[in-house]
Amino acid sequence: MDQKTMLRNLENDEITRLRRGFNYWGIFSYFKDKSFVLREFHTNNEIYMIPPNMKKFVHLREMYSMGIIIGILKKNFFPSLPFLYYVCKYSKSYSYVIINDHATELFLYGRNLFGTSILETSNNFKENDLVIVLNKKLEPLGLGITRFVNKQIKNNRITITNAYDLGYYLRKEQ
Amino acid sequence: MNCIKFPKSSESKKLANKYSFKEWMISRYLNFIPDIENFLITLNKKPTAYIRINTLKIEPLLLEQKLVNKNIESKQTISKYVLEVTNSNVPIGATQEYLSGYYYIQDLSSCLAVESLDVNENHLVLDMAASPGGKTTFLAQLMKNNGTIMAIEPNPIRLERLHLNLSRCGVINTCIMNISGSKIKDYNLKFDRILLDAPCSCDGIIQKDRKRKKTYSEDIIDYCSTNQAMLIKDAAKVIKPGGLLVYSTCSLAPEENELVVNSLFNDFDITLESIGFGADGLSKIGNMELNKSLKNSKRLYPHIHNTSGFYIAKIRVHGSKNNAS
């Protein structure tokens, strides 16, 4: 392999940081009994959720990945695109913004969000927080970083930076 | 395995000129493709588009409603998971529904190959040459994200595409390994099911990729068929006794299909199970007689079945003869 890939079980302190991340997204109880492995890939520590019966394969040579990537673990947990689906499906308290149809199209092209395109927000975020960007049908489109506190988020200027969006899948394919 | 030479004729010359094909291709097709003129006409038309509903992420009725809202017209096919797209004003590979993993753009023929494997939620399944992941994600869907799929892909560049598609489609039950098919026997694993969608010369997808018409050559058939004969033996060595192996290609060349499967009879105790769709596989090519049960394997033709040109063999492997494993 021309890229360094290694899968391993998580250390205790990594499990603690991961659980803190789950707690932040209000999804601790869903992930409580799930199994995880860590993939060291380039400089990233990627976290994968795996079915329990897959654990026996962790140490097989030339394993590239297992299960589904749910995020990257540095000092804090940074969620992946698949993780957003679990949050939207199972969490009752998370930070989000709902945007209009026109902004949905632009956001999927990697654009930042204008405050005027935001229809609704959760009421629990500050400046530089991570928020899930949803369309009107409450489907996750990606992740944003707030530039302002909650009550200023609908102002007529760019108020949310695009951290990543579903268009990533298409851009990577090309 | 050497490419079989078929004699040229006045008809092959006429058809080659009329439809802009190399004459040696037509002289081959005349020997094993029914209604050849209609076949050649179809190859010059736009292919039918199909999407496979990813039930790991969405209910079929809900997706159909979303497609209607986007003015994408579709109709049912013989697979309950596959829709034929009959009209669309938007590129179906760039909608939010596609990016969300609600569907996968995949030909009906390759979905039928996956369905033939009869997987269940407890199986350990091997997907050889897995990238870009269309069949892998469908296997995961049929297994309801349970059991385990080992998806192997030797090409490091193609690995990332496989990884992305599994992620987009919400697949959890799959391990990706960066190895070739010949290496899997070193891991001492035995599989309940194996899907070998073998790398091939791809003349079945000329409709989708017209470059293939020019690049197709006897050398490619030789190279692919030799590789396929090795891969199918590697697969048969790591299957549990009584397990199922589905061999498929998007090629119409008998050297890459029936002859490859026929070569297994020498070393393995196998039976070919019937598949409920498609035209019968060839059991005679020119003067060459093959195992009669190859009729149970199936050929799909663009002009008859409205799919890519495709071959599927459903092989029950009972064990090896002599010292094959």
Side-chain angles (χ1 to χ4, degrees), chain A residues 1 48 61 64-65 139, chain B residues 66 102 160 163 176 178 187:
Chain A
M1 277 191 287
Y48 287 76
R61 280 172 289 123
Y64 182 78
S65 72
E139 295 164 316
Chain B
K66 283 176 179 288
Y102 296 161
E160 189 54 24
H163 188 242
I176 302 177
N178 184 203
Y187 289 80

Side-chain angles (χ1 to χ4, degrees), chain B residues 47-52 77-79 81-84 104-117 134-135 138 195-197 200 203-205 207-208 246-252 275 277-279 298-302 304-313:
Chain B
T48 305
Y50 293 99
I51 58 174
R52 190 245 309 157
T77 66
I78 56 169
S79 167
Y81 300 106
V82 182
L83 298 174
E84 178 184 331
Y104 198 102
I105 301 168
Q106 191 168 22
D107 196 77
L108 175 62
S109 55
S110 66
C111 295
L112 294 174
V114 174
E115 289 188 40
S116 304
L117 198 57
K135 294 184 185 67
F138 192 23
L195 178 66
L196 171 53
D197 183 51
C200 68
D203 66 329
I205 56 165
Q207 251 185 310
K208 288 178 184 160
V246 165
Y247 174 82
S248 64
T249 69
C250 58
S251 164
L252 292 167
I275 302 168
F277 48 82
K298 295 294 170 190
R299 297 182 143 249
L300 299 172
Y301 297 110
I304 298 171
H305 304 103
N306 199 22
T307 62
S308 298
F310 211 78
Y311 175 81
I312 307 171

Side-chain angles (χ1 to χ4, degrees), chain B residues 145-315:
Chain B
N145 248 338
N146 294 311
T148 302
I149 301 169
M150 292 270 181
I152 62 175
E153 173 56 54
N155 183 340
I157 296 164
R158 290 166 61 87
L159 276 175
E160 189 54 24
R161 184 125 189 250
L162 173 62
H163 188 242
L164 279 176
N165 277 325
L166 295 184
S167 162
R168 183 173 65 83
C169 293
V171 172
I172 300 170
N173 69 340
T174 301
C175 309
I176 302 177
M177 296 179 78
N178 184 203
I179 57 169
S180 66
S182 61
K183 290 272 166 36
I184 192 70
K185 61 181 182 296
D186 300 339
Y187 289 80
N188 292 321
L189 295 167
K190 291 283 178 188
F191 297 90
D192 300 290
R193 298 284 184 268
I194 297 180
L195 178 66
L196 171 53
D197 183 51
C200 68
S201 62
C202 300
D203 66 329
I205 56 165
I206 284 175
Q207 251 185 310
K208 288 178 184 160
D209 183 0
R210 300 201 183 274
K211 287 198 302 279
R212 305 268 176 194
K213 214 166 157 180
K214 289 186 177 165
T215 57
Y216 194 62
S217 71
E218 295 183 352
D219 287 346
I220 290 176
I221 297 174
D222 286 350
Y223 173 79
C224 290
S225 57
T226 304
N227 192 30
Q228 288 152 354
M230 288 191 290
L231 278 173
I232 200 169
K233 281 183 183 150
D234 289 331
K237 284 174 190 171
V238 294
I239 202 160
K240 287 179 186 170
L244 261 183
L245 161 63
V246 165
Y247 174 82
S248 64
T249 69
C250 58
S251 164
L252 292 167
E255 297 91 333
E256 299 183 61
N257 298 322
E258 287 87 349
L259 286 170
V260 171
V261 177
N262 196 59
S263 70
L264 262 195
F265 282 99
N266 298 330
D267 297 324
F268 295 91
D269 178 15
I270 58 169
T271 47
L272 263 73
E273 298 193 353
S274 62
I275 302 168
F277 48 82
D280 286 354
L282 309 172
S283 58
K284 189 170 186 235
I285 304 159
N287 296 324
M288 200 186 308
E289 296 276 351
L290 307 177
N291 190 294
K292 292 266 182 291
S293 67
L294 280 162
K295 282 187 180 173
N296 285 340
S297 64
K298 295 294 170 190
R299 297 182 143 249
L300 299 172
Y301 297 110
H303 59 307
I304 298 171
H305 304 103
N306 199 22
T307 62
S308 298
F310 211 78
Y311 175 81
I312 307 171
K314 182 176 177 180
I315 307 161

